[in-house]
Structure formats: C-alpha cells, structure tokens
C-alpha cells in the first residue's frame, strides 16, 4: 500500500466586517488546527455590500501577518473583490473551501440579498469551490462566539469530507444563545424590511438619512424556515443556489412572447 | 355605468449607471407617455453594486427636474438605496412597477449576482411590487437604444396588465443588434468570469489591480439559456426569484444534522 500523507486542506477566508473583526479572528483561531489558511479581508467594514465588486477604483491588497500554513491579507475592495483577488493573485492552488464570516449579525431570510458574507460564499460557489457563510445573530463587535465554534468546526469538517452539490453553497446562521438546541436544514424565510430610515438634519439644515430597519417575518409560524430555527435556539443551515431562475414562472410568461 | 377615469400607472425608475446615463434618459423618454414617473437614480456610476446598501455613511437625495406627472431625483447611495429611499420618503403611494435600466451592459447569466440593475429589481420585488430590469449588451455610454425601445414598451405594458407572480421579477437583456429576431423566455446560463484583473503599477512602484474579466459560458449550446438567446439575436427574459433556497440539496444535507 502507498504511504500517502494526507495533505491538510486549504481554506480561503474572508468577511464583510473587516480584517480586524472579532468574528473573523475567531474563525481563524478555530480553523487553524484544521487547515492551511489564506485570509483576504476588507480593510474596513463592508456590511451590506452583497455581491458588489469594485470597477471604477483601483484595488490593492497587502500582507499583514504570516505564519506556518497561514497568511493574512487586507484588501481595499469589497468582500467579493477579496475572494476574486485572492484566487487570482495570491493562491497558487484552488482551495478546498471558501468561508465567509463569522459575520456579526443575522444573514437569514432575504438578508441573503444584501449580505457581504453571502457575497463571499456565492462568489466561491460560482468559482466551483465548496463555500460556507457563518453568521451570528449579534451585531455587537464584542459578541461571544464561543457557544458556536464547535458546531462550526463540525460543519466545516463534514463539508470537507462530503462536499456540496455543484452550484449550491451554505448560509449558516446561529442564534445568540449560550447553548444551541441543535442544527436544522432550512429554507429561506419569506419576509421584508420595514421602517428603513431615520431622517436627521445636518448642521447646515439639510436633511440626510441613516439606513436602519426592522425585519418583518411574513411566516413566523413556518417551522421549516431559517428565521424560525433561529428564534427557537437552533443553528439554521440554508442551502443557497447560484441559479436564481424562477422556473415555476416560465410557462405563464410565454404570453410575453409573440 | 360608472364613468371611471382610468388612472395612469405609477412607475418608479432607477439605474446603476447614474442619473445622467443615456440608458436611463431613454427609458424616461419612452415611458413618459405611458405612466407617471418618479425617478431616483444614483448621483454617479454604481455598476457592479449588486444588492449593496449604504450603512456607515449618511444618505442624501435631491430633486433635479420636475414636470407634470414626472419627478427626477439623484441620490448619494447605491441603486438599492435609491429604491428604498424613494419608497420611504418620496412616493406617497405604492408604485405599479419598479424598473431598473436601461443598463449599459449585459446582465444575463451570473451577472445577476453582481448587477446593480438587478439589485433595483430584486428590491422592488422584495417590497411586493412588480419589477423589471432592462439591459442592453453594449457598455458604450452612447449606445444606440432605439432598436429595443418598442419591445420595452410592449413588455412594460403587458406586465402592467398581467402582473407577475409573487416573489418573481424579470431580468430582460437585449442583444446589440439593429433588428431583434424576437423575444425568448429563458433560464439563467451556467457560466463564470475568468481573467478578472489587470495588474498595474502606481508611480510609487506599488501594484494595484483593475477589475476586468471575460465571461466563460459553460453551456454555449443550450438553447433555453439567456446567453444563447442574446448570441442569436433575441431579447432574453429571465424570470428571477427572491427565494434562493436550494431545495434540491436539502435532503442530502440532512447528514449535517445529528
């Protein structure tokens, strides 16, 4: 038999809260024993950047820390830029996983469409790499991630072993809780944001607006949704797909074709 | 019988190329006879902004032009901010349609995940409003939109009449062509971007990167895809859904739940 030394997996990490966010530093700490890590994170907060990429400005990145099987870069761009640029200019091989997080804040339900963390995950997935986003429902910069790290390690280990279907990535959200009740595979909750602005007045008298908002859950009783899982103490794993075609609508839209 | 005067529909317009882009001005021109228009567009280019929203900076908007049944605002934020802020602070009733475009450039295939135009459309759809994005496969700022305007009017008229299913919006792309061969209802093409950066050197000697790239179509022969339709002279209507759950993957992911 061949004496095969099993190579450590290679994981590309990024986030949208910036390179110095506690969630990212926690993720680095728990994944370092498991894998070779390359981290490319934005040089400041990029929450709510979704799949945005930088076109009209030049992009830069720089190494900020290095150790055995570990390199850590910060980048002037968006979360998606971080993934693209790391794959293009830093990594010399395709990573086994792309991971975004741990995000400070909830990325369940329609937040998938605004989240920079999900931008990272979708980008990895579009590049054909198994990709996972981890988020904790706690915006606090000093949030306590300790109750969820062992579950993160479990999920990462399993996805490294079993992979994910092509075109599918994972949006994993954790409730703010000391003891998880378990893990659920969920669908995206139907909901929307309301009361999204606070109007304020600049010293010159001109109005401006801060984006805020409250999430309105349109199906609070639906036990198969990610929001329900989070409300009830479970980690919510929502599989997300790259193909967003509304196949169910194609037939009735034929009326548009003459 | 009641002598009912049919009210003109109300349409909210935005784009991601900025308030002075020819594509937006063309759309305004062709839709004004049809509808009351409120336009809220970014104050500069926001291509590739996807679903990004502005959290850490204050948002501002201002009226730049006004006429009967027409008001035109520019906004400091992203395309999604434009839609949210117009709905929150400008419009006094829910519009019948939200329209993004006409975008200067192709938003078919995976571009849906990067496109600011689609950010507009998804936002309108998440607010429960029928929403359509129009894009022409021509990045030129002086692109010729005249071959596609009558088809745009047809589509808008029909969607005003028949509506769209809940949670579904339209991504409509047009080829750069003098005479459209027709319109096709399509699915999103499988593909990815490659060669995404050009490295350059700043006068100080430090490297930087410009985002560029080439689209790699993974299924060029698939006649039901939006990219195929565009390549063959058809307008491609791709219905897009808010729910991005990968339902097909849920069963096999049960292994993650213990």
């Amino acid at each position: 038999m061949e004496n095969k030394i099993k190579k450590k997996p290679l994981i590309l990490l990024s986030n949208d809260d910036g390179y110095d966010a506690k969630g990212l530093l926690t993720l680095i700490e728990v994944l370092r024993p498991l894998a070779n890590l390359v981290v490319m994170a934005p040089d400041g907060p990029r929450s709510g950047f979704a799949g945005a990429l930088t076109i009209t400005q030049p992009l830069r990145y720089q190494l900020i820390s290095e150790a055995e099987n570990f390199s850590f870069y910060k980048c002037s761009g968006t979360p998606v830029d971080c993934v693209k640029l790391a794959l293009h200019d830093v990594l010399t091989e395709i990573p086994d996983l792309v991971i975004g997080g741990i995000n400070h804040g909830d990325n369940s339900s329609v937040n998938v469409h605004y989240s920079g963390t999900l931008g990272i995950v979708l980008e990895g997935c579009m590049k054909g790499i198994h990709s996972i986003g981890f988020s904790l429902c706690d915006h606090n910069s000093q949030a306590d991630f300790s109750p969820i790290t062992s579950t993160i390690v479990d999920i990462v280990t399993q996805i490294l072993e079993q992979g994910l279907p092509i075109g599918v990535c994972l949006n994993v959200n954790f409730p703010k809780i000391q003891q998880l009740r378990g893990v659920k595979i969920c669908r995206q909750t139907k909901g929307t944001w309301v009361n999204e602005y606070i109007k304020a007045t600049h010293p010159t008298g001109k109005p401006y607006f801060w984006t805020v908002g409250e999430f309105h859950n349109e199906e609070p009783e639906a036990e198969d949704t990610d929001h329900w899982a989070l409300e009830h103490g479970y980690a919510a794993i929502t599989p997300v797909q790259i193909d967003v075609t509304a196949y169910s609508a194609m037939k009735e839209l034929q009326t548009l074709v003459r």
Side-chain angles (χ1 to χ4, degrees), chain A residues 10-211:
Chain A
L10 174 63
I11 300 179
L12 172 60
L13 289 186
S14 190
N15 78 341
D16 73 355
D17 294 309
Y19 73 102
D20 55 356
K22 187 178 174 189
L24 176 64
L25 302 178
T26 302
L27 196 54
I28 291 170
E29 196 184 318
V30 301
L31 295 182
R32 277 201 65 184
L34 245 76
N36 300 340
L37 299 184
V38 173
V39 188
M40 174 82 89
D43 61 11
R46 303 284 192 283
S47 269
F49 267 58
L53 41 85
T54 303
I55 296 171
T56 58
Q57 296 295 318
L59 279 172
R60 295 178 176 82
Y61 74 89
Q62 64 180 100
L63 185 69
I64 50 173
S65 142
E66 209 172 11
E68 201 187 341
N69 299 326
F70 175 73
S71 54
F72 192 171
Y73 303 84
K74 66 177 181 179
C75 169
S76 61
T78 67
V80 166
D81 294 331
C82 288
V83 176
K84 285 182 184 287
L85 202 48
L87 293 173
H88 179 91
D89 208 60
V90 175
L91 289 156
T92 53
E93 55 184 307
I94 304 291
D96 300 285
L97 278 183
V98 170
I99 299 183
I102 308 170
N103 187 62
H104 294 242
D106 181 356
N107 279 322
S108 69
S109 184
V110 291
N111 294 353
V112 66
H113 293 294
Y114 305 116
S115 160
T117 306
L118 264 291
I120 292 161
V121 176
L122 289 164
E123 184 59 33
C125 189
M126 283 191 270
K127 290 287 187 280
I129 307 164
H130 304 315
S131 299
I132 315 171
F134 293 110
S135 305
L136 176 66
C137 296
D138 185 352
H139 276 101
N140 194 310
S141 65
Q142 293 310 311
D144 179 13
F145 295 96
S146 63
I148 67 170
T149 53
S150 69
T151 306
I152 288 177
V153 168
D154 283 354
I155 293 170
V156 169
T157 308
Q158 283 193 71
I159 297 302
L160 281 169
E161 275 168 20
Q162 75 184 53
L164 284 167
I166 292 172
V168 173
C169 49
L170 299 186
N171 179 16
V172 183
N173 287 276
F174 292 94
K176 182 183 172 182
I177 201 171
Q178 274 307 310
Q179 181 72 47
L180 279 178
R181 288 182 61 192
V183 175
K184 280 186 182 288
I185 310 299
C186 304
R187 65 174 173 89
Q188 175 187 321
T189 309
K190 289 183 178 69
T192 190
W193 283 88
V194 294
N195 303 325
E196 294 180 286
Y197 294 99
I198 286 176
K199 197 171 184 172
T201 307
H202 188 268
T204 59
K206 286 188 179 164
Y208 64 93
F209 297 84
W210 291 114
T211 303

